[in-house]
Amino acid sequence: MALIVQKYGGTSVGSIEKIRAVAERVIETSIQGNQMVIVLSAMAGQTDGLIKLANDITEDPDSRELDVLVSTGEQISVALFAMAVKTMGYDARSLLGFQVAIHTDHLFGKARIHDIETDRIIRNLDQGRIVTVAGFQGLDDHGDITTLGRGGSDTTAVALAAALKADVCEIFTDVNGVYTTDPNICPRAKKMDFISYEEMLEMASLGAKVLEIRSVEFAKKFDVPIHVRSTFTNERGTMVVAETKDMEKVAVSGVAYNKNEARVTIRKVPDQPGIASRIFDPVFRAGIVVDMIVQNTSQDGLTDLTFTVLKTDFYKTMKLVSDIAAEIGAERVLGDEDIAKVSIIGVGMRTHAGVAKTMFATLAKENINIMMISTSEIKISCLIEEKYTELAVRVLHKAFGLDDEKEKAS
Ligand code: ADP
Ligand code: ASP
Ligand code: MG
């Protein structure tokens, strides 16, 4: 008997018919003698709808109340799923984050899980029930509901798999696995059979939303193998596992893009010790994650500082930075939301030369201007105008030999 944690995303539970189909699929695996813990997302579009409701009240909703609101999407899914299982003659029990309990820190909207109690889940499993847990939500130590950030149900699933020492963690979604790039924008994307935790971490952090980044961090830390696969077929998907020697053979294994960031530029900042710290201090204290940062060499004691943040943090960041810019005597603050980051990823970059050169030349050939560049050992990212995103992804995918030849022939 195996203990299996499965997570179904929003599209997979997007209608009553789909919830019934998931219930049938889960029951089938359960009656083969497995214990099943099913993590569900909100039905497709619900979380966005709830955020919109909040934004209809105010542009900057109270973060505690926003979490109370957006966590309700998952509550609906688990209740409907448990009902569906019961109508099929099997026993199920839904549990919300606080009932489990999934303990997190206090950062509303991007809380981190620090501990999961497993007793209640195990008790229910031992009574022969299918247990369904609401994804994306937890409980802080003031007893308040928190949420884990967009896509956070993946993290709930992997963290539960680690806490329960599950035999396998399966992430069911609307594509067949992890591809060399987003199959919805590049028809020649290829499904990978395996990907290393390191590459998946980079792909996720650079925008491949098929797995949420913290879920991969958890999986790597606690050695949880993840199987990413389709809800709608029985095909084998992609295993996310520890790196093997073979994986270094190719220089670039994937291309990712992210349209969720915005750029902030502070013009003519006095170039003095401590200035960067003063600018970023209020931003960090507000829990805002800063991504790419570039500071130019100074001219006449003045410099420009540019960085990117999530679009959802853009409004708040502009306000914080404008206040500080006035205090330190910078000339002005500019913002740009029409940007995208395209990235190439591969553990093979450690041993292959010329990868950056190919990337820059490929973008240049299409006349795509690079605004910022950042690199790490296994990735290179370029900030470009948002309207060129799809084109950039496709030409890079081809330039690094990732195109699916079968697709080309058809
Ligand atoms: P779910 O609702 O199941 O959590 P998501 O929408 O969060 O699903 O993630 C699945 C989507 O991720 C796919 O539909 C696809 O468009 C996108 N995606 C982006 N990059 C990749 C990639 N490299 N491989 C597979 N899917 C990707
Ligand atoms: N419902 C949440 C979201 O849309 C969490 C998830 O689906 O993983 O971001
Ligand atoms: Mg998701």
Side-chain angles (χ1 to χ4, degrees), residues 202-274:
E202 290 287 3
M203 294 268 280
S205 71
L206 296 169
K209 67 173 183 162
V210 63
L211 280 179
E212 201 267 336
I213 180 163
R214 285 192 195 155
S215 68
V216 191
E217 283 170 2
F218 252 102
K220 183 169 182 240
K221 188 163 168 199
F222 296 102
D223 230 344
V224 181
I226 305 178
H227 185 184
V228 182
R229 54 191 301 198
S230 167
T231 308
F232 311 113
T233 71
N234 275 320
E235 264 176 60
R236 234 190 116 64
T238 303
M239 291 301 301
V240 188
V241 290
E243 187 177 329
T244 63
K245 263 266 150 270
D246 267 8
M247 290 174 174
E248 285 209 355
K249 281 188 189 148
V250 288
V252 172
S253 49
V255 180
Y257 67 94
N258 188 349
K259 295 183 180 181
N260 296 329
E261 290 188 9
R263 181 170 64 139
V264 178
T265 300
I266 315 168
R267 299 292 303 274
K268 299 203 173 160
V269 179
D271 193 13
Q272 293 156 6

Side-chain angles (χ1 to χ4, degrees), residues 70-96:
V70 296
S71 59
T72 59
E74 274 68 14
Q75 181 164 346
I76 294 172
S77 309
V78 290
L80 292 173
F81 172 79
M83 285 175 204
V85 171
K86 282 173 180 247
T87 57
M88 293 172 188
Y90 294 85
D91 201 5
R93 176 62 55 92
S94 67
L95 295 174
L96 302 181

Side-chain angles (χ1 to χ4, degrees), residues 10-114:
T11 320
S12 309
V13 293
S15 65
I16 294 300
E17 293 68 41
K18 284 182 176 166
I19 291 176
R20 282 209 183 100
V22 169
E24 277 167 14
R25 189 173 184 140
V26 170
I27 289 170
E28 224 172 87
T29 315
S30 162
I31 55 184
Q32 286 162 9
N34 300 299
Q35 292 191 311
M36 308 293 292
V37 176
I38 310 302
V39 176
L40 298 182
S41 289
M43 295 168 79
Q46 277 221 340
T47 310
D48 288 338
L50 292 165
I51 293 171
K52 190 176 172 306
L53 282 180
N55 287 334
D56 287 346
I57 298 269
T58 162
E59 220 171 24
D60 192 15
D62 179 86
S63 52
R64 178 189 181 278
E65 302 311 330
L66 188 60
D67 276 4
V68 174
L69 179 70
V70 296
S71 59
T72 59
E74 274 68 14
Q75 181 164 346
I76 294 172
S77 309
V78 290
L80 292 173
F81 172 79
M83 285 175 204
V85 171
K86 282 173 180 247
T87 57
M88 293 172 188
Y90 294 85
D91 201 5
R93 176 62 55 92
S94 67
L95 295 174
L96 302 181
F98 79 90
Q99 293 172 310
V100 170
I102 298 174
H103 297 282
T104 71
D105 61 19
H106 314 297
L107 266 185
F108 295 116
K110 47 184 101 161
R112 280 185 175 271
I113 297 175
H114 54 67

Side-chain angles (χ1 to χ4, degrees), residues 249-310:
K249 281 188 189 148
V250 288
V252 172
S253 49
V255 180
Y257 67 94
N258 188 349
K259 295 183 180 181
N260 296 329
E261 290 188 9
R263 181 170 64 139
V264 178
T265 300
I266 315 168
R267 299 292 303 274
K268 299 203 173 160
V269 179
D271 193 13
Q272 293 156 6
I275 285 287
S277 157
R278 272 187 71 187
I279 290 172
F280 287 115
D281 189 52
V283 178
F284 294 148
R285 267 194 288 121
I288 294 168
V289 177
V290 173
D291 182 21
M292 299 166 106
I293 306 178
V294 171
Q295 182 180 321
N296 292 340
T297 44
S298 69
Q299 258 189 343
D300 306 323
L302 298 170
T303 183
D304 291 348
L305 189 75
T306 303
F307 60 95
T308 59
V309 292
L310 281 178

